[in-house]
Amino acid sequence: MDYAPRKIKYFFDPVVINEEKIAQRGIAPTPQDSIRNFEITTYTEKNNKGKTIATIPDLGVGKASLTVRPLDMTVYSVGNITSAPYVEYRLPVVKGENNIQVKCFPSFPLYNGKGLRYAISIDGSAPAFVTIGNGLGGGDAYGENKRWLVDVHRGYTLGETLYKSDTDKNVTVRIYFAEPGLVLSNLSVVYPTK
């Protein structure tokens, strides 16, 4: 893989800007939601379900990523998702609408016509499927599109789940590996602005 494919300027050394340069140009930072990141390997529980949830050091946006081996092409659906391998986390949420973000390695589905999905359960809720990346099913699963280009530039593809809490607390978040080829890279919670 070329470090600067097609000589796109984006891949060359970036211009670094600091607070002094921002002040000189009169650009004020905008307030953002507070966000907390979690290493994907800091799970509190995992269940291999007869397979292996493997750690891949130095891959992705964190210190390591997680994937399921062997790559046996098993695809899980609503009827059998609870038999899929999973990792579980205890995450802090605050009162209001929290955005739980799962950052995955930006890859394509393994074959055309399939998506790339995980399923998420919060505090024992029914697992909800999230399709990530270019894997929107069918069509151009192997072709470049605008979303794939953004994902490659930033180093991850993003799945998001909104969770409304009535109080500040910790919740149990379980992430199921629903499709072959899924690689989990990082976990974040974006808190509502106060």
Side-chain angles (χ1 to χ4, degrees):
M1 184 173 206
D2 191 333
Y3 78 94
R6 297 182 301 279
K7 308 301 180 223
I8 298 172
K9 290 180 184 178
Y10 181 90
F11 293 102
F12 293 97
D13 290 337
V15 175
V16 178
I17 190 162
N18 57 28
E19 289 182 28
E20 183 180 328
K21 288 181 183 176
I22 290 172
Q24 289 172 354
R25 293 184 185 187
I27 303 169
T30 58
Q32 297 179 344
D33 294 346
S34 56
I35 184 168
R36 186 165 171 193
N37 294 303
F38 302 87
E39 288 292 334
I40 205 71
T41 54
T42 60
Y43 49 80
T44 54
E45 183 182 332
K46 76 173 178 175
N47 193 323
N48 293 304
K49 297 286 187 166
K51 300 180 183 179
T52 300
I53 297 175
T55 301
I56 307 169
D58 303 320
L59 180 69
V61 293
K63 294 179 182 176
S65 292
L66 300 175
T67 195
V68 172
R69 292 188 179 144
L71 191 61
D72 65 2
M73 305 308 282
T74 303
V75 176
Y76 297 90
S77 63
V78 173
N80 67 351
I81 189 61
T82 57
S83 64
Y86 66 82
V87 284
E88 197 169 89
Y89 303 85
R90 289 290 289 165
L91 301 179
V93 295
V94 299
K95 184 176 181 178
E97 194 166 67
N98 299 265
N99 184 355
I100 298 173
Q101 300 181 333
V102 179
K103 296 172 184 166
C104 301
F105 191 74
S107 57
F108 291 106
L110 293 181
Y111 51 94
N112 206 8
K114 282 293 178 188
L116 196 55
R117 304 171 305 149
Y118 65 86
I120 186 168
S121 170
I122 302 170
D123 271 352
S125 65
F129 285 85
V130 178
T131 300
I132 59 159
N134 198 42
L136 303 179
D140 68 346
Y142 298 109
E144 292 182 9
N145 63 25
K146 288 181 182 178
R147 180 172 176 177
W148 182 80
L149 291 172
V150 168
D151 291 347
V152 169
H153 287 171
R154 67 183 177 187
Y156 62 88
T157 185
L158 182 66
E160 298 180 285
T161 302
L162 297 178
Y163 177 77
K164 189 167 187 176
S165 179
D166 55 1
T167 185
D168 296 1
K169 62 181 178 179
N170 289 327
V171 294
T172 299
V173 175
R174 181 177 289 183
I175 302 171
Y176 294 92
F177 291 83
E179 305 238 14
L182 178 70
V183 180
L184 302 180
S185 183
N186 191 265
L187 194 57
S188 301
V189 179
V190 181
Y191 299 109
T193 53
K194 301 271 181 175

